[in-house]
Amino acid sequence: LLAHPYAKTPFVIAAAPGTPLDSLSLNQLAKLYLGSPRTWADGTPVRLILRPTTDSDHAALQSVSPEIAQALNHAQQRVGLLVPDTDQEAASALEKLPGAIGSTTLALVLSEKRKVKLIALDNVKPSLENLANGSYPYHKKMFLILRRNASLDIRSFVEFIFSPAGKLILEANGQLPVRE
């Protein structure tokens, strides 16, 4: 099998709709994972949505900063926090649980039309434009996994992904095409 990178998507912090929060500093994000504050400004409890330690979102969040990695490890030890197994379960919790906050990707939010609030980090919004210009550095790389001797149909599909029409579809779904 061969892994072919085809896109990057912003790795985002998202919250439940109506959460009274638009931006977090990395220091504030680390404190949230350490358990402070326990409530939002409107009194709603802060409800962290974690991912399993074996999940790529967990690794992506750890890579944001050493302080966040340490705080995330602390949060994983707390009893009673929600740890959904799948991206879809995590996104559903972020949509439906008042006060919820956790990680996901812009690709998942846009492609599944999730009703979550995207949180700026250090006052930089997680967007394709900010990912492309380097002002929002947090991302996950997307790969196509193909057999070494992929069929003509598969190779044609890969070429479509990198065509102008394919790139438009990727971008509309929160993915910045790359060809490395």
Side-chain angles (χ1 to χ4, degrees):
L1 298 177
L2 299 172
H4 297 280
Y6 72 91
K8 295 189 298 187
T9 185
F11 178 71
V12 302
I13 300 300
T19 301
L21 176 70
D22 293 314
S23 183
L24 285 169
S25 69
L26 295 184
N27 185 43
Q28 289 172 315
L29 183 60
K31 285 181 180 178
L32 275 175
Y33 281 94
L34 288 171
S36 177
R38 298 267 185 196
T39 60
W40 296 115
D42 67 357
T44 304
V46 172
R47 294 187 171 99
L48 290 177
I49 308 299
L50 302 177
R51 297 308 308 277
T53 57
T54 55
D55 190 90
S56 64
D57 276 12
H58 180 84
L61 188 55
Q62 282 188 313
S63 73
V64 169
S65 77
E67 294 78 19
I68 290 175
Q70 184 178 19
L72 183 58
N73 289 335
H74 173 80
Q76 290 287 347
Q77 304 306 313
R78 291 172 53 196
V79 176
L81 296 182
L82 190 58
V83 186
D85 287 326
T86 69
D87 294 342
Q88 287 68 31
E89 289 170 345
S92 292
L94 289 168
E95 281 180 317
K96 296 174 184 171
L97 187 62
I101 188 166
S103 61
T104 188
T105 63
L106 185 61
L108 185 132
V109 170
L110 294 180
S111 66
E112 295 186 5
K113 297 176 180 37
R114 294 295 184 153
K115 292 173 178 54
V116 297
K117 185 174 190 178
L118 299 178
I119 306 301
L121 293 177
D122 288 333
N123 293 312
V124 181
K125 292 182 180 183
S127 68
L128 287 186
E129 180 182 343
N130 288 339
L131 180 61
N133 70 28
S135 63
Y136 191 88
Y138 315 109
H139 67 274
K140 288 177 76 174
K141 212 178 251 189
M142 311 297 271
F143 293 87
L144 295 169
I145 308 298
L146 308 171
R147 290 184 177 163
R148 191 174 304 274
N149 58 348
S151 71
L152 179 58
D153 288 341
I154 298 295
R155 290 193 313 263
S156 295
F157 176 72
V158 170
E159 287 307 312
F160 171 75
I161 288 173
F162 293 104
S163 73
K167 288 179 180 182
L168 286 175
I169 293 169
L170 289 175
E171 290 169 357
N173 287 284
Q175 299 180 55
L176 184 65
V178 298
R179 192 160 202 157
E180 297 176 8

